[in-house]
Every structure is written in C-alpha cells, then in structure tokens.
Amino acid sequence: MNALAADIQLSIQKTEYSRVHEVDFDHLVFGRKFGDHMFQMMYDDGAWQTPEIVPFGPIPVTPAMNALHYGQSIFEGMKAFYVNENTIHIFRPEAHHERFNNTARRMCIPEHDYDVFITALEELIRLDHAWVPKKPGTALYLRPFIFAAEEYLAARISDVYRFHIITSPVGQYYKEGFNPVKLATPNGYVRAVDGGTGEAKTSGNYAASFLPAREAQANGYTQVLWLDAKEHRYIEEVGTMNIHFVINGTLITPELTGSILPGVTRRSVVSLAEAWGMPVEERRISIEEVFEASASGTLEEVFGSGTAAVISPVGTIAHKGEEISIGNGTIGPLAKRMYDEITGLQYGTVEDTHGWIHPVYL
C-alpha cells in the first residue's frame, strides 16, 4: 500500500471569508450547503503526495479526464455530531475507512493510510466546527471521494487520482423523517450481480439506480427494494440503505453475497441486536417469505439502516401489484430502540461501550 507516514503533516490554507452565515440551520436541506474548507491530495508518480486543506471551491477538470469517461470513482458517506462546545463525535470512522479501501481495491484505485484519513477529518472539523448543526436529527455530513484524474482517453487504469473530503450540514435524508417509508420492488431492473461492483461504494452503482427510483417515486413510493439479479426473488437492499426484517421475534438481515453494500450502520444494527440477546440471522430472505409472514401475522417490523437516515421504519412494501402494510403506520419497537441507541451514541447521550465513537476535541 502506498501511504504517508503515520506522523503526517497537513498543509492548511484558511479561507479569508466564511460562508457559514448563509446557512439556515433551522431548515437544512440534505447536501446543498458546503463547509468553508476541503481536503485534497493527489496520487501521482506511484505515490500519494502532500495532503492539504484549502478553501472549498472548484477543482481543475479537463474534458479528457479519465473518470468522466470510464467511471473510475469511489466515495464514502459519514457524519459528525455536535456533543458540546468542546466536542464533536465521528461515528465509526475505522469501519468507513476499511470499506473505502475495500472499494478502492475493487476499482483499482490506490489505497490510503488511516492516519491520513482521520487527521484530515479532524482538522476539517476543527476548522469548520461552526458548520456542525446543533439540533437533534442534524449532523455534519462528511464526503470523502477519490476519482481518476489522468488526462488520457483510454479504457485502462488511471495513473493519477484526486482524493477530496468535503463537508455539508444536513438534516433528515427522507422527507418522511423518522416515520415509515414506502418501498416497491423494481419492474424488471436489477441493481447488481454476483461478481460485479454491488459491494463497492462506486459512483456508477448509484447512477444506474436513478431511473428505477424515479419510477417508484412517480408511483408514490419512497425508494426501490432491490431483489437479486438471477431469480428476482431474494431481497438485497434499498436504494440508499440496507434492510432488516423482524419475523416471529428474529432479526433477519440479507446476507452479504457480494452484490450488497456492507453498510456500517447495518453492521451496527446486527451487533446491537446480538448484544441485546435477540435471535439474529444473516441469510437469504425472499420477497415471498416476507409476504407470507405478513399474511400469517408473524412479520413484526421492517426497517432500513444507513448513514444518511440512520434507521428508517418501513410501513409499506409493494411487489407485482400486491401491497402489504407493516405496523399500521407506526414505528416498531426495535426500530425505535435502534434509532435511540445509535443516535444516543452519536450525540454522546449514551455511553460508548463498543468503541464506535471517535471524539474530536475543539
């Protein structure tokens, strides 16, 4: 792995003019406003170069840039949470970094060292701590991303990359907030296949999902509930989160087969349920099994998990013209407990006995 030494030094150029006064923190829209500073680092000549923090702004893009033509681009999604005037929490940065590097390997992008990653995040948060919203349900979204930056029109691995981290103050991801959402299986579309890039957080996976999502939304649903690409029976994930089912007292989560994104919040949900002594199964679960459990009265809850929404209860699932309701429009007890526990850890109101919280002291 090409990486900088653990005792890295960041070059920091501070902005002369803050834009934080432009943000309406009472009415945050997800992903529309961006912090005063950003991290950047180039990969060239076979190594990562000196890391920098500079004022947020445009970056150089040539029409011949590799990523624009061949899609060699990856990203992560993380959050930082206001605890008090001296402390900001980052949730599970080690797990996010691990997934970031796993995605990099799949997409033939050079890996980078955790010390570079966490130092960049810490310094960005210290510089832009005024951008961290303070209300419950809000956070500073952290978006690391890397893309192929070589100026070369050829379908091959790039030799040059740009690594950036930008930040954005955000509120609730779904307009429903922490209320049940409606899901529909896709009409003939597939998200990923075994051996493909489904388990990687790469940009093309999301671009390919936009049309099915738009069709689902046009029919009154929040997102797509993806099924496997071979038999179109086995549930994989939702467009922007992993999915969990509570059937007859057991938490059932689709197993990671290579076509499902290994969510950090998904991993947290499974770990918490096991710690609470709840029966947990990570296995294949078919859409027919879910509908049968609904008919028999054993389907107790369905909820999604992800960085953006944290926990998102599911109230409706539609499949091939049939529709089932879960929980009569209410939030299930396990979803509520998961949401309270995870957000409590994030905001510092619940003791972190898992080692998931990385505090940044201002």
Side-chain angles (χ1 to χ4, degrees):
M1 180 194 305
N2 289 294
L4 298 177
D7 57 343
I8 69 161
Q9 296 295 317
L10 279 175
S11 169
I12 299 177
Q13 177 188 344
K14 295 182 180 180
T15 184
E16 296 180 357
Y17 176 75
S18 175
R19 294 171 288 101
V20 72
H21 65 278
E22 300 173 3
V23 180
D24 183 354
F25 284 95
D26 292 324
H27 301 91
L28 291 172
V29 179
F30 205 101
R32 289 292 187 180
K33 296 290 185 178
F34 304 98
D36 285 327
H37 298 87
M38 64 182 185
F39 170 82
Q40 63 183 25
M41 184 167 64
M42 290 288 295
Y43 181 92
D44 200 2
D45 294 327
W48 287 108
Q49 306 300 310
T50 302
E52 303 174 294
I53 288 179
V54 298
F56 178 90
I59 57 178
V61 173
T62 166
M65 189 175 69
N66 183 286
L68 296 177
H69 300 272
Y70 304 107
Q72 201 182 2
S73 175
I74 67 174
F75 67 97
E76 263 301 319
M78 308 167 60
K79 282 181 177 177
F81 302 86
Y82 178 86
V83 178
N84 56 49
E85 62 181 10
N86 299 312
T87 311
I88 306 295
H89 280 176
I90 307 176
F91 186 65
R92 305 202 70 174
E94 297 95 339
H96 281 285
H97 179 259
E98 176 189 12
R99 186 173 67 176
F100 201 22
N101 269 343
N102 287 342
T103 295
R105 284 194 294 274
R106 179 62 180 84
M107 301 305 293
C108 294
I109 290 174
E111 297 173 54
H112 61 280
D113 190 83
Y114 179 71
D115 293 296
V116 177
F117 184 72
I118 197 63
T119 301
L121 291 172
E122 289 176 344
E123 291 304 318
L124 275 175
I125 289 169
R126 290 191 181 104
L127 280 171
D128 288 350
H129 63 87
W131 288 79
V132 183
K134 299 178 180 179
K135 289 188 173 182
T138 64
L140 186 69
Y141 188 74
L142 311 172
R143 170 50 63 88
F145 61 101
I146 303 175
F147 60 92
E150 188 172 5
E151 188 174 13
Y152 187 50
L153 291 182
R156 68 159 180 81
I157 299 168
S158 178
D159 289 329
V160 180
Y161 298 89
R162 293 188 68 97
F163 177 12
H164 292 269
I165 305 174
I166 58 177
T167 66
S168 176
V170 298
Q172 297 284 359
Y173 185 78
Y174 290 124
K175 61 180 177 61
E176 293 89 346
F178 185 55
N179 288 297
V181 298
K182 300 176 67 177
L183 306 179
T185 57
N187 184 22
Y189 299 104
V190 299
R191 176 188 171 273
V193 298
D194 292 349
T197 60
E199 65 180 355
K201 204 165 178 65
T202 182
S203 307
N205 287 347
Y206 294 82
S209 72
F210 291 161
L211 177 59
R214 185 174 69 179
E215 292 182 0
Q217 290 157 8
N219 290 319
Y221 298 95
T222 311
Q223 261 291 349
V224 173
L225 178 63
W226 290 104
L227 304 178
D228 75 286
K230 184 177 181 180
E231 299 182 59
H232 307 284
R233 292 184 58 214
Y234 293 99
I235 296 168
E236 298 209 320
E237 63 178 86
V238 182
T240 52
M241 58 186 179
N242 294 112
I243 193 76
H244 310 268
F245 303 88
V246 181
I247 298 177
N248 201 22
T250 297
L251 178 69
I252 302 172
T253 301
E255 65 181 332
L256 300 177
T257 59
S259 57
I260 297 174
L261 187 71
V264 173
T265 314
R266 172 194 181 279
R267 187 194 303 188
S268 305
V269 165
V270 171
S271 296
L272 286 173
E274 290 174 340
W276 294 339
M278 184 177 187
V280 175
E281 296 178 1
E282 291 186 70
R283 62 169 174 84
R284 300 180 85 187
I285 178 170
S286 69
I287 189 69
E288 293 88 357
E289 180 180 351
V290 171
F291 272 63
E292 289 166 5
S294 176
S296 68
T298 58
L299 180 62
E300 299 165 11
E301 288 186 58
V302 182
F303 60 91
S305 64
T307 295
V310 187
I311 299 295
S312 184
V314 176
T316 303
I317 297 176
H319 175 64
K320 291 185 176 179
E322 295 185 36
E323 198 174 83
I324 58 172
S325 295
I326 304 103
N328 297 316
T330 62
I331 299 166
L334 183 61
K336 180 66 164 61
R337 187 180 181 188
M338 287 289 179
Y339 181 83
D340 289 345
E341 183 76 10
I342 293 173
T343 57
L345 288 165
Q346 292 169 338
Y347 292 109
T349 60
V350 171
E351 182 184 0
D352 177 23
T353 60
H354 313 278
W356 292 348
I357 296 300
H358 182 93
V360 178
Y361 300 109
L362 305 180

